[in-house]
Short mmCIF file of all heavy atoms in Angstrom, two decimals:
data_model
loop_
_atom_site.label_atom_id
_atom_site.label_comp_id
_atom_site.label_asym_id
_atom_site.label_seq_id
_atom_site.Cartn_x
_atom_site.Cartn_y
_atom_site.Cartn_z
N MET A 1 0.81 -1.22 -0.01
CA MET A 1 0.01 -0.05 0.04
C MET A 1 0.91 1.25 0.00
O MET A 1 1.76 1.35 0.81
CB MET A 1 -0.87 0.03 1.22
CG MET A 1 -1.64 1.25 1.35
SD MET A 1 -2.69 1.72 2.72
CE MET A 1 -3.04 0.42 3.68
N PRO A 2 0.66 2.19 -0.93
CA PRO A 2 1.47 3.44 -0.93
C PRO A 2 1.21 4.27 0.23
O PRO A 2 0.20 4.34 0.83
CB PRO A 2 1.09 4.08 -2.27
CG PRO A 2 -0.26 3.57 -2.51
CD PRO A 2 -0.38 2.17 -1.98
N ALA A 3 2.29 5.07 0.60
CA ALA A 3 2.17 6.01 1.74
C ALA A 3 1.23 7.14 1.33
O ALA A 3 1.15 7.52 0.13
CB ALA A 3 3.50 6.63 2.10
N SER A 4 0.45 7.66 2.31
CA SER A 4 -0.45 8.79 2.08
C SER A 4 0.38 9.98 1.87
O SER A 4 1.46 10.18 2.36
CB SER A 4 -1.47 8.98 3.16
OG SER A 4 -0.78 9.15 4.45
N PRO A 5 -0.12 11.00 1.15
CA PRO A 5 0.65 12.30 0.95
C PRO A 5 0.92 12.94 2.20
O PRO A 5 0.14 12.94 3.17
CB PRO A 5 -0.33 13.11 0.08
CG PRO A 5 -1.34 12.35 -0.41
CD PRO A 5 -1.42 11.08 0.43
N SER A 6 2.11 13.55 2.26
CA SER A 6 2.47 14.23 3.53
C SER A 6 2.69 15.65 3.29
O SER A 6 3.36 16.09 2.36
CB SER A 6 3.75 13.69 4.00
OG SER A 6 4.17 14.29 5.17
N PRO A 7 2.16 16.62 4.19
CA PRO A 7 2.40 18.04 4.01
C PRO A 7 3.83 18.39 4.30
O PRO A 7 4.48 17.74 5.03
CB PRO A 7 1.49 18.69 5.03
CG PRO A 7 1.20 17.61 6.06
CD PRO A 7 1.26 16.26 5.30
N GLY A 8 4.36 19.39 3.62
CA GLY A 8 5.77 19.72 3.72
C GLY A 8 6.10 20.51 5.05
O GLY A 8 5.24 20.97 5.73
N LEU A 9 7.31 20.49 5.30
CA LEU A 9 7.88 21.18 6.49
C LEU A 9 7.49 22.61 6.53
O LEU A 9 7.50 23.27 5.52
CB LEU A 9 9.40 20.98 6.52
CG LEU A 9 10.14 21.68 7.64
CD1 LEU A 9 9.81 20.96 9.08
CD2 LEU A 9 11.57 21.63 7.46
N GLY A 10 6.98 23.08 7.69
CA GLY A 10 6.52 24.48 7.81
C GLY A 10 5.18 24.76 7.41
O GLY A 10 4.70 25.86 7.63
N ARG A 11 4.44 23.74 6.82
CA ARG A 11 3.04 24.03 6.44
C ARG A 11 2.12 24.08 7.59
O ARG A 11 2.25 23.39 8.52
CB ARG A 11 2.61 23.00 5.44
CG ARG A 11 3.23 22.95 4.11
CD ARG A 11 3.02 24.16 3.31
NE ARG A 11 3.69 24.36 2.08
CZ ARG A 11 3.28 23.84 0.90
NH1 ARG A 11 2.24 23.28 0.81
NH2 ARG A 11 4.03 24.03 -0.10
N VAL A 12 1.18 25.00 7.56
CA VAL A 12 0.05 25.00 8.56
C VAL A 12 -1.05 24.11 8.11
O VAL A 12 -1.53 24.09 6.97
CB VAL A 12 -0.44 26.49 8.68
CG1 VAL A 12 -1.61 26.55 9.63
CG2 VAL A 12 0.67 27.43 9.08
N ILE A 13 -1.32 23.19 9.09
CA ILE A 13 -2.39 22.25 8.68
C ILE A 13 -3.54 22.24 9.75
O ILE A 13 -3.28 22.76 10.86
CB ILE A 13 -1.83 20.72 8.82
CG1 ILE A 13 -1.26 20.38 10.19
CG2 ILE A 13 -0.75 20.59 7.69
CD1 ILE A 13 -0.87 18.95 10.33
N THR A 14 -4.74 21.86 9.37
CA THR A 14 -5.85 21.68 10.15
C THR A 14 -6.14 20.19 10.17
O THR A 14 -6.15 19.62 9.05
CB THR A 14 -7.03 22.47 9.69
OG1 THR A 14 -6.71 23.82 9.55
CG2 THR A 14 -8.23 22.31 10.58
N TYR A 15 -6.36 19.61 11.30
CA TYR A 15 -6.52 18.16 11.33
C TYR A 15 -7.56 17.77 12.39
O TYR A 15 -7.95 18.52 13.28
CB TYR A 15 -5.23 17.46 11.67
CG TYR A 15 -4.57 17.70 12.94
CD1 TYR A 15 -4.91 16.95 14.05
CD2 TYR A 15 -3.71 18.75 13.13
CE1 TYR A 15 -4.34 17.12 15.33
CE2 TYR A 15 -3.12 18.94 14.44
CZ TYR A 15 -3.52 18.24 15.44
OH TYR A 15 -2.86 18.41 16.62
N LEU A 16 -8.14 16.60 12.14
CA LEU A 16 -9.11 15.94 13.09
C LEU A 16 -8.34 15.52 14.21
O LEU A 16 -7.44 14.71 14.17
CB LEU A 16 -9.87 14.81 12.39
CG LEU A 16 -10.90 14.15 13.19
CD1 LEU A 16 -12.00 15.16 13.61
CD2 LEU A 16 -11.46 13.00 12.52
N ASN A 17 -8.75 16.03 15.44
CA ASN A 17 -8.04 15.68 16.66
C ASN A 17 -8.25 14.22 17.02
O ASN A 17 -9.45 13.76 17.24
CB ASN A 17 -8.45 16.56 17.77
CG ASN A 17 -7.70 16.58 18.99
OD1 ASN A 17 -6.73 15.68 19.14
ND2 ASN A 17 -7.80 17.45 19.88
N PRO A 18 -7.20 13.40 17.09
CA PRO A 18 -7.44 11.95 17.44
C PRO A 18 -7.68 11.80 18.96
O PRO A 18 -8.09 10.74 19.37
CB PRO A 18 -6.10 11.34 17.06
CG PRO A 18 -5.15 12.43 17.02
CD PRO A 18 -5.80 13.65 16.67
N ASP A 19 -7.55 12.84 19.75
CA ASP A 19 -7.84 12.73 21.21
C ASP A 19 -9.29 13.01 21.46
O ASP A 19 -9.66 14.10 21.49
CB ASP A 19 -6.92 13.71 21.99
CG ASP A 19 -7.08 13.67 23.52
OD1 ASP A 19 -7.98 12.88 23.95
OD2 ASP A 19 -6.42 14.43 24.16
N ALA A 20 -10.05 11.96 21.62
CA ALA A 20 -11.53 12.06 21.88
C ALA A 20 -11.92 12.82 23.12
O ALA A 20 -12.94 13.36 23.23
CB ALA A 20 -12.12 10.72 21.90
N LEU A 21 -10.97 12.94 24.14
CA LEU A 21 -11.23 13.71 25.31
C LEU A 21 -10.88 15.18 25.26
O LEU A 21 -11.22 15.86 26.21
CB LEU A 21 -10.51 13.00 26.47
CG LEU A 21 -10.87 11.52 26.74
CD1 LEU A 21 -9.98 10.97 27.80
CD2 LEU A 21 -12.33 11.35 27.08
N HIS A 22 -10.27 15.52 24.20
CA HIS A 22 -9.88 16.94 24.05
C HIS A 22 -11.17 17.73 23.70
O HIS A 22 -12.00 17.27 22.87
CB HIS A 22 -8.82 17.20 22.97
CG HIS A 22 -8.12 18.44 22.93
ND1 HIS A 22 -8.69 19.43 22.26
CD2 HIS A 22 -6.98 18.88 23.53
CE1 HIS A 22 -7.84 20.51 22.42
NE2 HIS A 22 -6.86 20.24 23.10
N PRO A 23 -11.30 18.97 24.13
CA PRO A 23 -12.44 19.78 23.85
C PRO A 23 -12.60 20.24 22.40
O PRO A 23 -13.69 20.47 21.96
CB PRO A 23 -12.40 20.94 24.75
CG PRO A 23 -10.94 21.06 25.16
CD PRO A 23 -10.41 19.67 25.04
N ASP A 24 -11.49 20.28 21.76
CA ASP A 24 -11.55 20.78 20.28
C ASP A 24 -11.44 19.58 19.33
O ASP A 24 -10.52 18.76 19.37
CB ASP A 24 -10.38 21.71 20.00
CG ASP A 24 -10.42 22.92 20.74
OD1 ASP A 24 -11.49 23.45 21.05
OD2 ASP A 24 -9.35 23.40 21.25
N ALA A 25 -12.44 19.53 18.42
CA ALA A 25 -12.43 18.42 17.41
C ALA A 25 -11.45 18.70 16.33
O ALA A 25 -10.85 17.74 15.67
CB ALA A 25 -13.84 18.23 16.80
N TYR A 26 -11.20 19.96 15.95
CA TYR A 26 -10.31 20.21 14.89
C TYR A 26 -9.15 21.19 15.38
O TYR A 26 -9.40 22.08 16.29
CB TYR A 26 -10.87 21.05 13.85
CG TYR A 26 -12.12 20.27 13.23
CD1 TYR A 26 -13.41 20.56 13.55
CD2 TYR A 26 -11.94 19.19 12.29
CE1 TYR A 26 -14.45 19.83 13.11
CE2 TYR A 26 -12.93 18.49 11.80
CZ TYR A 26 -14.17 18.77 12.17
OH TYR A 26 -15.26 18.07 11.54
N VAL A 27 -7.88 20.90 15.13
CA VAL A 27 -6.83 21.59 15.67
C VAL A 27 -5.91 22.04 14.48
O VAL A 27 -5.89 21.34 13.48
CB VAL A 27 -5.93 20.59 16.60
CG1 VAL A 27 -4.78 21.31 17.22
CG2 VAL A 27 -6.86 20.03 17.66
N ARG A 28 -5.21 23.26 14.64
CA ARG A 28 -4.26 23.67 13.73
C ARG A 28 -2.87 23.63 14.31
O ARG A 28 -2.71 23.72 15.52
CB ARG A 28 -4.55 25.17 13.36
CG ARG A 28 -5.75 25.36 12.58
CD ARG A 28 -6.03 26.76 12.18
NE ARG A 28 -4.93 27.20 11.23
CZ ARG A 28 -4.88 28.49 10.91
NH1 ARG A 28 -5.65 29.33 11.28
NH2 ARG A 28 -3.92 28.77 9.98
N GLY A 29 -1.93 23.29 13.51
CA GLY A 29 -0.53 23.19 13.92
C GLY A 29 0.42 23.45 12.69
O GLY A 29 -0.07 23.55 11.57
N VAL A 30 1.71 23.42 12.98
CA VAL A 30 2.63 23.61 11.88
C VAL A 30 3.48 22.31 11.85
O VAL A 30 4.01 21.79 12.92
CB VAL A 30 3.58 24.78 12.21
CG1 VAL A 30 4.66 24.94 11.17
CG2 VAL A 30 2.74 26.09 12.33
N VAL A 31 3.70 21.76 10.69
CA VAL A 31 4.53 20.61 10.40
C VAL A 31 5.96 20.96 10.75
O VAL A 31 6.56 21.88 10.23
CB VAL A 31 4.43 20.06 9.09
CG1 VAL A 31 5.39 18.89 8.72
CG2 VAL A 31 2.96 19.72 8.59
N SER A 32 6.52 20.29 11.73
CA SER A 32 7.82 20.61 12.29
C SER A 32 8.93 19.67 12.02
O SER A 32 10.03 19.73 12.49
CB SER A 32 7.69 20.81 13.76
OG SER A 32 7.32 19.64 14.46
N GLY A 33 8.54 18.67 11.17
CA GLY A 33 9.69 17.72 10.77
C GLY A 33 9.22 16.93 9.48
O GLY A 33 8.22 17.05 8.93
N SER A 34 10.19 16.22 8.94
CA SER A 34 9.88 15.42 7.75
C SER A 34 9.05 14.18 8.19
O SER A 34 9.09 13.79 9.31
CB SER A 34 11.14 14.99 7.04
OG SER A 34 12.03 14.29 7.92
N HIS A 35 8.28 13.71 7.21
CA HIS A 35 7.42 12.62 7.53
C HIS A 35 8.16 11.32 7.61
O HIS A 35 9.28 11.15 7.13
CB HIS A 35 6.32 12.48 6.42
CG HIS A 35 6.68 11.84 5.18
ND1 HIS A 35 7.38 12.59 4.22
CD2 HIS A 35 6.55 10.61 4.72
CE1 HIS A 35 7.59 11.75 3.21
NE2 HIS A 35 7.20 10.58 3.52
N VAL A 36 7.58 10.27 8.23
CA VAL A 36 8.11 8.95 8.30
C VAL A 36 7.04 8.01 7.90
O VAL A 36 5.88 8.34 8.18
CB VAL A 36 8.73 8.57 9.80
CG1 VAL A 36 9.87 9.42 10.14
CG2 VAL A 36 7.61 8.72 10.76
N VAL A 37 7.35 6.87 7.42
CA VAL A 37 6.35 5.90 6.91
C VAL A 37 6.38 4.65 7.81
O VAL A 37 7.51 4.10 7.98
CB VAL A 37 6.55 5.55 5.47
CG1 VAL A 37 5.58 4.45 5.04
CG2 VAL A 37 6.44 6.84 4.66
N ASP A 38 5.34 4.27 8.40
CA ASP A 38 5.18 3.10 9.22
C ASP A 38 5.38 1.89 8.21
O ASP A 38 4.57 1.76 7.27
CB ASP A 38 3.82 3.04 9.89
CG ASP A 38 3.67 1.74 10.71
OD1 ASP A 38 4.34 0.85 10.57
OD2 ASP A 38 2.84 1.86 11.67
N PRO A 39 6.41 1.05 8.39
CA PRO A 39 6.71 -0.02 7.50
C PRO A 39 5.61 -1.06 7.44
O PRO A 39 5.45 -1.83 6.46
CB PRO A 39 8.04 -0.56 7.94
CG PRO A 39 8.19 -0.21 9.35
CD PRO A 39 7.45 1.13 9.49
N GLU A 40 4.87 -1.24 8.56
CA GLU A 40 3.86 -2.26 8.64
C GLU A 40 2.49 -1.79 7.90
O GLU A 40 1.84 -2.62 7.27
CB GLU A 40 3.48 -2.64 10.03
CG GLU A 40 4.67 -3.48 10.64
CD GLU A 40 4.36 -3.99 12.04
OE1 GLU A 40 3.17 -4.30 12.26
OE2 GLU A 40 5.31 -4.29 12.80
N THR A 41 2.18 -0.53 8.08
CA THR A 41 0.84 -0.12 7.51
C THR A 41 1.06 0.77 6.28
O THR A 41 0.04 0.98 5.53
CB THR A 41 0.11 0.77 8.58
OG1 THR A 41 0.96 1.92 8.84
CG2 THR A 41 -0.15 0.01 9.84
N GLY A 42 2.25 1.30 6.02
CA GLY A 42 2.45 2.26 4.87
C GLY A 42 1.87 3.52 5.12
O GLY A 42 1.91 4.44 4.14
N ARG A 43 1.54 3.92 6.31
CA ARG A 43 0.92 5.25 6.61
C ARG A 43 1.99 6.21 6.99
O ARG A 43 2.98 5.87 7.62
CB ARG A 43 -0.09 5.18 7.74
CG ARG A 43 -1.32 4.35 7.37
CD ARG A 43 -2.17 4.13 8.54
NE ARG A 43 -3.45 4.98 8.49
CZ ARG A 43 -4.47 4.74 9.10
NH1 ARG A 43 -4.53 3.70 9.92
NH2 ARG A 43 -5.51 5.49 8.98
N SER A 44 1.83 7.49 6.54
CA SER A 44 2.80 8.54 6.82
C SER A 44 2.46 9.24 8.09
O SER A 44 1.20 9.47 8.45
CB SER A 44 2.74 9.60 5.71
OG SER A 44 3.38 9.09 4.60
N TRP A 45 3.46 9.62 8.81
CA TRP A 45 3.24 10.32 10.13
C TRP A 45 4.20 11.55 10.08
O TRP A 45 5.29 11.49 9.52
CB TRP A 45 3.69 9.44 11.32
CG TRP A 45 2.82 8.25 11.53
CD1 TRP A 45 2.71 7.22 10.82
CD2 TRP A 45 1.82 8.14 12.51
NE1 TRP A 45 1.74 6.28 11.22
CE2 TRP A 45 1.13 6.90 12.36
CE3 TRP A 45 1.43 8.90 13.59
CZ2 TRP A 45 0.16 6.42 13.18
CZ3 TRP A 45 0.41 8.46 14.43
CH2 TRP A 45 -0.20 7.17 14.27
N VAL A 46 3.63 12.67 10.69
CA VAL A 46 4.57 13.84 10.71
C VAL A 46 4.52 14.47 12.14
O VAL A 46 3.55 14.26 12.89
CB VAL A 46 4.07 15.03 9.74
CG1 VAL A 46 4.27 14.59 8.38
CG2 VAL A 46 2.63 15.37 9.98
N SER A 47 5.60 15.11 12.56
CA SER A 47 5.58 15.86 13.78
C SER A 47 4.87 17.17 13.58
O SER A 47 5.15 17.83 12.50
CB SER A 47 7.03 15.96 14.34
OG SER A 47 7.82 16.67 13.49
N VAL A 48 4.17 17.65 14.57
CA VAL A 48 3.34 18.86 14.44
C VAL A 48 3.59 19.68 15.69
O VAL A 48 3.40 19.23 16.76
CB VAL A 48 1.88 18.49 14.23
CG1 VAL A 48 1.07 19.83 14.18
CG2 VAL A 48 1.61 17.72 13.02
N LEU A 49 3.95 20.99 15.45
CA LEU A 49 4.07 21.94 16.53
C LEU A 49 2.73 22.59 16.73
O LEU A 49 2.09 23.11 15.90
CB LEU A 49 5.08 23.00 16.17
CG LEU A 49 5.27 24.08 17.22
CD1 LEU A 49 5.93 23.50 18.51
CD2 LEU A 49 6.25 25.15 16.67
N LEU A 50 2.20 22.45 17.98
CA LEU A 50 0.93 22.97 18.36
C LEU A 50 1.01 24.31 18.93
O LEU A 50 2.00 24.81 19.33
CB LEU A 50 0.17 22.04 19.39
CG LEU A 50 0.07 20.58 18.81
CD1 LEU A 50 -0.46 19.72 20.05
CD2 LEU A 50 -0.84 20.44 17.76
N PRO A 51 -0.17 25.11 18.96
CA PRO A 51 -0.17 26.46 19.40
C PRO A 51 0.31 26.68 20.79
O PRO A 51 0.88 27.66 21.24
CB PRO A 51 -1.62 26.92 19.27
CG PRO A 51 -2.24 26.09 18.27
CD PRO A 51 -1.51 24.72 18.33
N ASN A 52 0.13 25.72 21.70
CA ASN A 52 0.62 25.71 23.02
C ASN A 52 2.14 25.37 23.20
O ASN A 52 2.59 25.40 24.35
CB ASN A 52 -0.23 24.85 23.96
CG ASN A 52 -0.01 23.35 23.73
OD1 ASN A 52 0.81 22.95 22.85
ND2 ASN A 52 -0.82 22.52 24.43
N GLY A 53 2.78 25.19 22.06
CA GLY A 53 4.22 24.92 22.15
C GLY A 53 4.61 23.42 22.27
O GLY A 53 5.81 23.17 22.16
N SER A 54 3.66 22.57 22.48
CA SER A 54 4.01 21.15 22.52
C SER A 54 4.07 20.57 21.13
O SER A 54 3.65 21.23 20.15
CB SER A 54 2.88 20.33 23.35
OG SER A 54 1.65 20.49 22.70
N THR A 55 4.58 19.37 21.05
CA THR A 55 4.72 18.68 19.79
C THR A 55 4.03 17.36 19.82
O THR A 55 4.04 16.69 20.85
CB THR A 55 6.24 18.43 19.44
OG1 THR A 55 6.86 19.72 19.41
CG2 THR A 55 6.40 17.77 18.09
N THR A 56 3.39 17.00 18.73
CA THR A 56 2.77 15.66 18.72
C THR A 56 3.16 15.01 17.39
O THR A 56 3.60 15.64 16.37
CB THR A 56 1.19 15.74 18.78
OG1 THR A 56 0.60 14.53 18.93
CG2 THR A 56 0.65 16.55 17.56
N VAL A 57 2.96 13.67 17.27
CA VAL A 57 3.14 12.94 16.02
C VAL A 57 1.79 12.59 15.49
O VAL A 57 1.00 12.01 16.20
CB VAL A 57 4.05 11.72 16.17
CG1 VAL A 57 4.23 11.00 14.92
CG2 VAL A 57 5.40 12.12 16.80
N LEU A 58 1.54 12.89 14.23
CA LEU A 58 0.17 12.77 13.68
C LEU A 58 0.21 11.93 12.43
O LEU A 58 0.99 12.03 11.56
CB LEU A 58 -0.38 14.16 13.35
CG LEU A 58 -1.72 14.32 12.71
CD1 LEU A 58 -2.80 13.91 13.67
CD2 LEU A 58 -1.92 15.66 12.10
N ASP A 59 -0.78 11.00 12.42
CA ASP A 59 -1.02 10.19 11.22
C ASP A 59 -1.65 11.11 10.17
O ASP A 59 -2.64 11.78 10.42
CB ASP A 59 -2.05 9.10 11.55
CG ASP A 59 -2.24 8.08 10.40
OD1 ASP A 59 -1.99 8.42 9.23
OD2 ASP A 59 -2.79 6.91 10.66
N THR A 60 -1.02 11.20 8.96
CA THR A 60 -1.54 12.13 7.99
C THR A 60 -2.89 11.85 7.48
O THR A 60 -3.44 12.77 6.79
CB THR A 60 -0.51 12.20 6.79
OG1 THR A 60 -0.37 10.86 6.17
CG2 THR A 60 0.80 12.79 7.20
N VAL A 61 -3.52 10.71 7.78
CA VAL A 61 -4.92 10.50 7.37
C VAL A 61 -5.85 11.47 8.11
O VAL A 61 -6.94 11.70 7.67
CB VAL A 61 -5.38 9.06 7.50
CG1 VAL A 61 -4.58 8.09 6.61
CG2 VAL A 61 -5.33 8.63 8.92
N ASN A 62 -5.35 12.08 9.26
CA ASN A 62 -6.19 12.96 9.95
C ASN A 62 -6.10 14.41 9.50
O ASN A 62 -6.90 15.28 9.90
CB ASN A 62 -5.77 13.03 11.47
CG ASN A 62 -6.15 11.69 12.11
OD1 ASN A 62 -7.11 11.03 11.79
ND2 ASN A 62 -5.38 11.34 13.11
N VAL A 63 -5.18 14.70 8.57
CA VAL A 63 -5.09 16.09 7.95
C VAL A 63 -6.19 16.33 7.01
O VAL A 63 -6.50 15.65 6.12
CB VAL A 63 -3.71 16.15 7.23
CG1 VAL A 63 -3.64 17.60 6.65
CG2 VAL A 63 -2.54 15.95 8.19
N LEU A 64 -6.82 17.51 7.38
CA LEU A 64 -8.04 17.89 6.57
C LEU A 64 -7.70 18.96 5.59
O LEU A 64 -8.33 19.13 4.52
CB LEU A 64 -9.18 18.35 7.52
CG LEU A 64 -9.68 17.38 8.53
CD1 LEU A 64 -10.59 18.05 9.47
CD2 LEU A 64 -10.38 16.17 7.89
N ARG A 65 -6.81 19.88 6.03
CA ARG A 65 -6.50 20.99 5.20
C ARG A 65 -4.93 21.34 5.35
O ARG A 65 -4.52 21.40 6.41
CB ARG A 65 -7.29 22.15 5.52
CG ARG A 65 -7.12 23.38 4.69
CD ARG A 65 -8.16 24.44 5.04
NE ARG A 65 -7.87 25.67 4.21
CZ ARG A 65 -7.96 26.92 4.63
NH1 ARG A 65 -8.22 27.09 5.91
NH2 ARG A 65 -7.65 27.84 3.90
N VAL A 66 -4.37 21.71 4.30
CA VAL A 66 -3.04 22.19 4.24
C VAL A 66 -3.01 23.65 3.69
O VAL A 66 -3.57 23.73 2.48
CB VAL A 66 -2.07 21.29 3.44
CG1 VAL A 66 -0.58 21.85 3.47
CG2 VAL A 66 -2.12 19.91 3.93
N GLN A 67 -2.54 24.61 4.42
CA GLN A 67 -2.46 26.00 3.88
C GLN A 67 -1.58 26.02 2.67
O GLN A 67 -0.55 25.42 2.55
CB GLN A 67 -1.96 26.95 4.91
CG GLN A 67 -2.86 27.05 6.18
CD GLN A 67 -4.14 27.78 5.95
OE1 GLN A 67 -5.16 27.10 6.04
NE2 GLN A 67 -4.11 28.95 5.56
N GLU A 68 -1.99 26.86 1.74
CA GLU A 68 -1.21 27.11 0.56
C GLU A 68 0.13 27.79 0.86
O GLU A 68 0.10 28.56 1.83
CB GLU A 68 -2.00 27.96 -0.47
CG GLU A 68 -3.21 27.24 -1.08
CD GLU A 68 -2.80 26.07 -1.92
OE1 GLU A 68 -1.81 26.20 -2.65
OE2 GLU A 68 -3.61 25.07 -1.92
N ALA A 69 1.20 27.58 0.13
CA ALA A 69 2.35 28.25 0.38
C ALA A 69 2.55 29.34 -0.62
O ALA A 69 2.11 29.29 -1.73
CB ALA A 69 3.54 27.27 0.22
N ASP A 70 3.29 30.41 -0.19
CA ASP A 70 3.62 31.52 -1.09
C ASP A 70 4.84 31.09 -1.92
O ASP A 70 5.32 30.03 -1.90
CB ASP A 70 3.81 32.84 -0.34
CG ASP A 70 5.05 32.76 0.66
OD1 ASP A 70 5.86 31.84 0.50
OD2 ASP A 70 5.12 33.67 1.47
N GLN A 71 5.35 32.08 -2.76
CA GLN A 71 6.41 31.87 -3.64
C GLN A 71 7.71 31.38 -2.95
O GLN A 71 8.58 30.70 -3.44
CB GLN A 71 6.82 33.09 -4.46
CG GLN A 71 5.68 33.51 -5.38
CD GLN A 71 5.99 34.80 -6.06
OE1 GLN A 71 7.03 35.41 -5.79
NE2 GLN A 71 5.09 35.30 -6.94
N ASP A 72 7.92 31.83 -1.67
CA ASP A 72 9.07 31.47 -0.85
C ASP A 72 8.93 30.09 -0.14
O ASP A 72 9.88 29.64 0.53
CB ASP A 72 9.42 32.54 0.12
CG ASP A 72 9.76 33.86 -0.55
OD1 ASP A 72 10.33 33.81 -1.58
OD2 ASP A 72 9.37 34.85 0.04
N GLY A 73 7.76 29.45 -0.33
CA GLY A 73 7.49 28.20 0.34
C GLY A 73 6.93 28.39 1.70
O GLY A 73 6.72 27.38 2.41
N ASN A 74 6.65 29.61 2.15
CA ASN A 74 6.02 29.78 3.53
C ASN A 74 4.57 29.67 3.40
O ASN A 74 3.95 30.11 2.50
CB ASN A 74 6.44 31.16 4.01
CG ASN A 74 7.92 31.38 4.08
OD1 ASN A 74 8.64 30.52 4.54
ND2 ASN A 74 8.41 32.52 3.55
N SER A 75 4.03 29.10 4.47
CA SER A 75 2.49 29.02 4.50
C SER A 75 1.87 30.30 4.74
O SER A 75 2.35 31.22 5.43
CB SER A 75 2.18 28.07 5.67
OG SER A 75 2.61 26.74 5.41
N LYS A 76 0.73 30.47 4.03
CA LYS A 76 -0.12 31.67 4.30
C LYS A 76 -1.00 31.43 5.40
O LYS A 76 -1.74 30.45 5.49
CB LYS A 76 -0.96 32.00 2.94
CG LYS A 76 -0.16 32.29 1.78
CD LYS A 76 -1.03 32.53 0.61
CE LYS A 76 -0.31 32.62 -0.64
NZ LYS A 76 -1.19 32.81 -1.82
N VAL A 77 -0.96 32.17 6.46
CA VAL A 77 -1.75 32.08 7.63
C VAL A 77 -3.00 32.89 7.61
O VAL A 77 -2.88 33.98 7.19
CB VAL A 77 -0.89 32.30 8.93
CG1 VAL A 77 -1.67 31.94 10.09
CG2 VAL A 77 0.30 31.32 8.87
#
C-alpha cells in the first residue's frame, strides 16, 4: 500500500483531533519535521508543533487542510 501524501515542513495544517477527550475536534498546527512511513501499515506520520508549544506525532490521514504556500514556500496564515 502506498504512503499517504504528507504536508511539507513548515506548512500550517488543520486536522481531526485523534484525542476524543480533548475539547476541540479540529486543531491547527505547523509541520515541524519530515514525515516517516510506518513499514507495517504504509501510513505517513509527521511531527506537528501545536499552538501551546507542545509537539505531537500525527497520522497524515487525519489532515483535513494544508495551507497554501507563497512563492518562498512559506505557509499563508
Side-chain angles (χ1 to χ4, degrees):
M1 171 184 346
S4 56
S6 178
L9 179 64
R11 294 293 174 93
V12 175
I13 60 171
T14 302
Y15 64 91
L16 180 61
N17 193 348
D19 182 357
L21 299 177
H22 193 276
D24 299 321
Y26 302 101
V27 181
R28 288 181 70 186
V30 177
V31 177
S32 60
S34 55
H35 77 279
V36 295
V37 177
D38 181 340
E40 290 189 26
T41 64
R43 292 172 109 160
S44 289
W45 293 74
V46 291
S47 59
V48 178
L49 179 63
L50 301 176
N52 67 5
S54 66
T55 302
T56 189
V57 179
L58 178 70
D59 186 340
T60 58
V61 299
N62 291 331
V63 175
L64 302 172
R65 181 172 180 223
V66 178
Q67 295 291 114
E68 293 293 323
D70 63 15
Q71 294 176 359
D72 298 324
N74 299 316
S75 294
K76 297 177 185 176
V77 182

